[in-house]
Amino acid sequence: MEAMWLLCVAAAVVAWCFLWVWDSSERVKSREQGERLGAESRTLLAIAHPDDEAMFFAPTVLGLARLRHWVYLLCFSAGNYYNQGETRKKELLQSCDVLGIPLSSVMIIDNRDFPDDPGVQWDTEHVASVLLQHIEVNGINLVVTFDAGGVSGHSNHIALYAAVRALHSEGKLPKGCSVLTLQSVNVLRKYISLLDLPLSRLHTQDVLFVLNSKEVAQAKRAMSCHRSQLLWFRRLYILFSRYMRINSLSFL
């Protein structure tokens, strides 16, 4: 019994030391990211559905907040696949409030051009046109969105990448406007939470955001705002997904 008690105490000490080193390293990392991304930039986060901002991009949003970026959010659908669009729009605004995105900086597109449907291919040129309009109107100098894999493979996610890729390759983005895309990973890495941190540090090409313990709780609160989406498998996602804690991003 005494040996078991000592083992528990030792495990608690090791866990505390790990968290202390983790939080300290992330403060150093924040300074490094600040030098790379620049402080107080105007960033546009382009997502496809309400809950993308918390489910996939929470580490990026909170990491940019450390750097004092002003974050705008453009959501291309109301998430009306199951006729829950009005509910999901309200949930998105609640989540943004938790994440520190001003509600005046949130734009939700709700029309037939961009249906929440993995079986529908959004028109790349139309998506690009809408994106460019918001970039120019808001003086955006950094765009953040999905990569070619869309993290989950959802066609609506991939459509955003295709559009921003087209703007970038055709030279249509304003001078000084950069693009960061969220790296997709395989299923194993996706669900091992912080155990993926060594691999993330090894494989991240440009920018890595890792949440400290306080920020993880904030990200979970944001995701919990999407009550209509909290089915049992999404609760498991919140517990185990690396995307609730770690974001690896690459510049186009």
Side-chain angles (χ1 to χ4, degrees):
M1 181 66 71
E2 184 177 351
M4 182 63 72
W5 184 83
L6 289 173
L7 183 61
C8 291
V9 171
V13 171
V14 170
W16 182 86
C17 290
F18 173 77
L19 289 173
W20 184 83
V21 172
W22 171 29
D23 284 358
S24 298
S25 68
E26 291 319 306
R27 285 193 290 271
V28 173
K29 193 71 177 178
S30 291
R31 291 194 292 271
E32 295 173 354
Q33 307 292 21
E35 294 173 0
R36 192 172 186 85
L37 293 175
E40 302 180 9
S41 294
R42 299 170 73 86
T43 298
L44 177 65
L45 173 61
I47 61 175
H49 317 106
D51 77 12
D52 289 349
E53 81 298 336
M55 185 177 290
F56 304 120
F57 290 98
T60 296
V61 173
L62 296 175
L64 291 172
R66 296 179 205 152
L67 304 175
R68 299 191 299 278
H69 279 223
W70 186 277
V71 178
Y72 294 80
L73 184 140
L74 177 59
C75 184
F76 271 79
S77 80
N80 202 39
Y81 189 71
Y82 294 108
N83 297 315
Q84 297 176 309
E86 291 305 312
T87 296
R88 297 194 67 186
K89 285 191 285 186
K90 294 175 183 177
E91 292 172 346
L92 174 59
L93 294 177
Q94 293 169 0
S95 174
C96 287
D97 189 47
V98 171
L99 292 172
I101 302 175
L103 300 189
S104 60
S105 299
V106 178
M107 176 66 182
I108 305 171
I109 299 172
D110 186 8
N111 63 46
R112 295 180 181 180
D113 295 330
F114 307 118
D116 173 13
D117 189 338
V120 175
Q121 296 294 325
W122 292 353
D123 181 74
T124 299
E125 187 175 342
H126 192 180
V127 175
S129 175
V130 173
L131 266 174
L132 185 58
Q133 178 185 0
H134 281 78
I135 290 169
E136 292 176 338
V137 166
N138 295 299
I140 299 298
N141 46 34
L142 177 65
V143 179
V144 178
T145 193
F146 295 97
D147 71 355
V151 178
S152 65
H154 198 297
S155 63
N156 298 163
H157 298 176
I158 296 170
L160 297 182
Y161 170 79
V164 77
R165 180 77 186 184
L167 289 173
H168 181 268
S169 63
E170 295 169 11
K172 293 182 177 179
L173 292 172
K175 184 178 180 180
C177 183
S178 303
V179 177
L180 273 177
T181 59
L182 180 62
Q183 294 178 2
S184 300
V185 298
N186 61 49
V187 173
L188 177 61
R189 288 186 61 193
K190 189 174 181 178
Y191 292 109
I192 58 174
S193 190
L194 275 176
L195 294 178
D196 187 62
L197 185 54
L199 285 173
S200 294
R201 290 194 180 278
L202 182 64
H203 293 291
T204 296
Q205 297 178 12
D206 294 309
V207 176
L208 176 67
F209 289 117
V210 184
L211 299 186
N212 59 39
S213 52
K214 181 179 179 181
E215 291 167 333
V216 169
Q218 188 176 355
K220 289 180 177 180
R221 288 198 307 274
M223 188 59 203
S224 296
C225 292
H226 296 279
R227 296 177 185 85
S228 67
Q229 305 304 299
L230 291 181
L231 304 175
W232 66 269
F233 57 88
R234 287 204 177 91
R235 294 183 185 277
L236 291 177
Y237 179 96
I238 292 172
L239 288 174
F240 296 109
S241 176
R242 73 186 286 280
Y243 288 100
M244 294 296 298
R245 296 158 179 81
I246 302 169
N247 275 178
S248 305
L249 302 105
S250 298
F251 284 108
L252 286 185

